Amino acid sequence: DAGVTQSPTHLIKTRGQHVTLRCSPISGHKSVSWYQQVLGQGPQFIFQYYEKEERGRGNFPDRFSARQFPNYSSELNVNALLLGDSALYLCASSSGRPFSTEAFFGQGTRLTVV
Amino acid sequence: EDQVTQSPEALRLQEGESSSLNCSYTVSGLRGLFWYRQDPGKGPEFLFTLYSAGEEKEKERLKATLTKKESFLHITAPKPEDSATYLCAVHPNTNAGKSTFGDGTTLTVKP
């Protein structure tokens, strides 16, 4: 079975532009979470979606938004990019069963804002 | 607010030299504590979930333990391929999906 897949793997954008990152969860998993990881730090929680509904949101500005599709894949959108948005964006897949905790990560999208 | 602190930030070992990594946490009701391994430029790789104080889990040269305030990842006779950043995270006892991560311990094992 395929693991969590993210696209693109690398991306370079200019300040002020917007970006869309994509994630496909493990087959059978209904929950997707997004994390931002700045170099040298641990991942920071951005969003979680389950059955197309937002289940949790981290301390990120409204420039960050996400959605989940009927096939459980997900998009993370970031508007008005800032230099500080440069990071590794990680998608994590989990079953979504109540109180289920194990999450499996994709390889990430490396976003560079110039 | 949930917090996770990992120590040391970096650890250099000789091949075969056993050691432990520490993860101290505060959380408003712990549902699970996770350990992940992360290689440079890649996503975290799931290692263990621990649910309650006193629980232990093992995988090859790694053993994770949990108390009410901290977790340890013991590495026995490490090999160079164990070199990576080890991340600890806590998941609260709610139905929200937020896990809080520490900043990791970067382990280097010299042959």
Side-chain angles (χ1 to χ4, degrees):
Chain A
D1 280 342
V4 180
T5 57
Q6 293 188 241
S7 63
T9 56
H10 295 83
L11 200 54
I12 299 175
K13 289 286 190 179
T14 304
R15 279 178 298 174
Q17 288 187 315
H18 74 273
V19 66
T20 297
L21 310 180
R22 295 178 174 83
C23 172
S24 293
I26 292 170
S27 178
H29 282 190
K30 298 182 178 181
S31 178
V32 169
S33 299
W34 288 96
Y35 289 81
Q36 180 196 67
Q37 187 176 25
V38 174
L39 195 63
Q41 297 182 15
Q44 297 291 316
F45 174 76
I46 309 176
F47 289 109
Q48 190 202 24
Y49 277 78
Y50 173 67
E51 292 280 15
K52 296 174 289 181
E53 293 190 1
E54 183 182 300
R55 180 183 278 185
R57 173 186 286 254
N59 295 326
F60 280 80
D62 292 343
R63 299 185 295 107
F64 288 76
S65 63
R67 57 179 175 169
Q68 187 177 32
F69 299 99
N71 66 353
Y72 304 111
S73 67
S74 178
E75 286 182 352
L76 175 69
N77 295 282
V78 186
N79 294 323
L81 286 166
L82 303 174
L83 295 179
D85 294 330
S86 296
L88 182 67
Y89 287 84
L90 295 163
C91 173
S93 164
S94 61
S95 68
R97 293 189 303 273
F99 299 102
S100 165
T101 55
E102 279 91 358
F104 300 90
F105 284 85
Q107 293 300 291
T109 294
R110 171 67 64 185
L111 172 64
T112 302
V113 182
V114 298
Chain B
E1 186 173 320
D2 303 339
Q3 287 190 326
V4 176
T5 302
Q6 293 188 245
S7 62
E9 291 184 12
L11 182 63
R12 297 172 68 91
L13 299 173
Q14 288 296 127
E15 185 172 1
E17 179 186 3
S18 302
S19 189
S20 295
L21 282 55
N22 177 264
C23 170
S24 297
Y25 66 90
T26 56
V27 64
S28 52
L30 179 69
R31 175 59 185 169
L33 183 141
F34 312 129
W35 282 97
Y36 288 89
R37 169 193 171 127
Q38 186 173 30
D39 292 303
K42 297 190 175 182
E45 174 190 346
F46 174 79
L47 293 174
F48 304 109
T49 305
L50 301 168
Y51 293 102
S52 58
E55 188 176 2
E56 299 182 353
K57 287 191 176 176
E58 290 188 64
K59 179 180 179 179
E60 297 182 354
R61 294 178 293 281
L62 301 177
K63 179 181 178 180
T65 62
L66 180 65
T67 72
K68 288 186 177 180
K69 294 184 178 181
E70 57 190 351
S71 176
F72 293 93
L73 184 66
H74 306 279
I75 303 177
T76 301
K79 298 181 178 181
E81 53 262 41
D82 295 322
S83 297
T85 296
Y86 291 85
L87 295 166
C88 170
V90 294
H91 193 93
N93 197 16
T94 68
N95 210 20
K98 177 180 179 179
S99 288
T100 299
F101 280 79
D103 287 337
T105 293
T106 299
L107 173 66
T108 303
V109 182
K110 294 291 190 181

